[in-house]
Amino acid sequence: MQLGVLGLGRMGANIARRLMRAGHTCVVFDLNQSAVEMMTSEGAAGGVSLDDFIAKLTPPRAILMMLPAAFVDPTIESLRPLVAPGDILIDGGNSFFHDDIRRAGELSPAGIHYLDVGVSGGIWGLDRGYCLMIGGEAETVQHLAPIWEALAPGIAAAEQTPGRDGTSTAEHGYLHCGQHGAGHFVKMVHNGIEYGLMEAFAEGFNILHNANVGKRGREVDAETTPLRNPELYQYDFDLAAIAEVWRRGSVVSSWLLDLTARALRENPTLSNFTGHVADSGEGRWTLDAAIDESVPAPVLSAALFARFSSRGESEMADRLLSAMRYEFGGHRERGPG
């Protein structure tokens, strides 16, 4: 089957590679022509322009856009004069599900099909496969089943759940989640959960990292909470080894823990990172949905707010806390440590 892949960043190029490994044909395009040339050297057909890219696709075309959310609408506007009724536009990035519903409504009168596909797997997807959460018309989703099958990890990627018989596509690693927007809605919540899991690991390992606090000197004054039993906190834990042992038989074993163990093994102090943690929108949108649904989500909200703090967004609040303590009690700030 032929698929156009528009956007050859960290995931787009590997998606094309995985499809070609499975025997599918890929036509690719990216504003960075060196990325296109790299893929053509590996067997893809490359477009030198958007028009050339479209011309090399056989109607009815299927085009997968692997782009940052902010670039999807402008790209669709550029594609609209070039595509024809029956063509399929697929957004494989992390768009807001509201936008998917709007886009599908705008494209439908022209006979253009639209699918929203949440893609999880990151830079490891080429070999591990991609978990695919799909929204849109059932017939269009089914038409592209060979593509989903090739990209998904396959049934052998996880131990079969008791009572399952292998007939659901979910057991193969892809799922038609519902109408337009459903794919990105499920991926949105997936990423919100991901934030919470990552924050839990980060906080837990930080507690382990500081379990030797009893060995450190502390100021004895009115500004410093005393450590009542320093003899209880004399542990110098090997975090890399703990991550490694947790990978085996532990309730918290997971791929995220595997990656954590890898990072700690390569650099136990993580000194190659600043701790400036970005968020790409899905965590915020998950909380928006939780509020609209009146669903409490304290863990997911705390995880998102921790990312804000990591970037210094709490600086004014922290300064104001210090200012208020000084104003009501003459408490002077102490330095870090």
Side-chain angles (χ1 to χ4, degrees):
M1 194 170 197
Q2 185 190 63
L3 183 75
V5 180
L6 208 168
L8 299 173
R10 286 176 295 180
M11 291 179 67
N14 279 346
I15 282 174
R17 290 186 179 103
R18 186 170 174 90
L19 288 171
M20 290 190 294
R21 284 183 182 181
H24 296 285
T25 301
C26 288
V27 181
V28 301
F29 179 70
D30 194 284
L31 293 177
N32 179 3
Q33 275 298 299
S34 64
V36 176
E37 291 165 5
M38 176 182 65
M39 292 305 300
T40 56
S41 72
E42 297 179 29
V48 296
S49 66
L50 203 56
D51 293 68
D52 185 44
F53 167 71
I54 294 296
K56 288 178 176 175
L57 288 165
T58 304
R61 308 170 186 89
I63 300 167
L64 173 63
M65 298 174 288
M66 294 302 300
L67 303 169
F71 291 96
V72 176
D73 279 328
T75 300
I76 290 176
E77 285 307 304
S78 297
L79 286 170
R80 287 188 71 165
L82 306 176
V83 295
D87 288 351
I88 306 167
L89 298 184
I90 310 158
D91 179 8
N94 282 323
S95 289
F96 192 24
F97 76 98
H98 291 193
D99 293 330
D100 295 315
I101 296 169
R102 170 181 54 79
R103 290 168 189 154
E106 292 171 349
L107 292 168
S108 179
I112 308 300
H113 303 285
Y114 178 85
L115 298 179
D116 52 282
V117 182
V119 182
S120 183
I123 59 175
W124 302 91
L126 174 60
D127 296 317
R128 288 172 53 96
Y130 299 93
C131 174
L132 305 172
M133 297 145 270
I134 310 165
E137 306 151 326
E139 184 178 349
T140 307
V141 174
Q142 182 57 38
H143 171 72
L144 294 172
I147 298 296
W148 316 134
E149 286 282 352
L151 290 176
I155 197 166
E159 185 177 346
Q160 195 166 55
T161 301
R164 289 282 188 178
D165 60 7
T167 57
S168 169
T169 65
E171 295 174 79
H172 295 255
Y174 71 96
L175 179 68
H176 178 210
C177 300
Q179 63 264 39
H180 296 111
H184 279 151
F185 191 103
V186 173
K187 178 58 161 52
M188 172 188 77
V189 176
H190 165 283
N191 283 23
I193 293 170
E194 180 182 293
Y195 283 23
L197 292 172
M198 293 171 72
E199 183 63 23
F201 275 125
E203 292 178 11
F205 275 99
N206 199 25
I207 293 170
L208 291 169
H209 175 66
N210 286 284
N212 62 0
V213 66
K215 295 183 177 183
R216 306 176 207 161
R218 280 200 174 195
E219 297 289 340
V220 179
D221 57 34
E223 300 300 314
T224 306
T225 303
L227 182 62
R228 296 179 59 185
N229 301 108
E231 69 278 6
L232 301 179
Y233 295 93
Q234 300 287 319
Y235 301 109
D236 291 305
F237 288 124
D238 183 339
L239 301 190
I242 290 171
E244 197 63 38
V245 74
W246 282 355
R247 294 180 62 218
R248 291 164 172 82
S250 163
V251 172
V252 298
S253 60
S254 64
W255 188 43
L256 275 177
L257 182 59
D258 295 345
L259 298 177
T260 300
R262 175 189 174 104
L264 289 169
R265 176 67 183 85
E266 291 175 351
N267 186 342
T269 65
L270 303 179
S271 58
N272 50 328
F273 296 97
T274 64
H276 185 283
V277 187
D279 75 283
S280 53
E282 300 83 19
R284 302 175 189 225
W285 302 334
T286 300
L287 296 186
D288 286 343
I291 291 167
D292 287 345
E293 298 172 7
S294 299
V295 172
V299 172
L300 306 191
S301 59
L304 176 64
F305 295 154
R307 295 192 175 204
F308 296 170
S309 294
S310 80
R311 305 197 297 262
E313 302 296 349
S314 64
E315 183 178 358
M316 183 60 183
D318 296 339
R319 290 184 179 185
L320 189 56
L321 286 170
S322 288
M324 287 188 287
R325 291 188 78 243
Y326 177 76
E327 291 296 334
F328 68 66
H331 302 286
R332 296 191 177 275
E333 289 183 314
R334 301 192 62 85

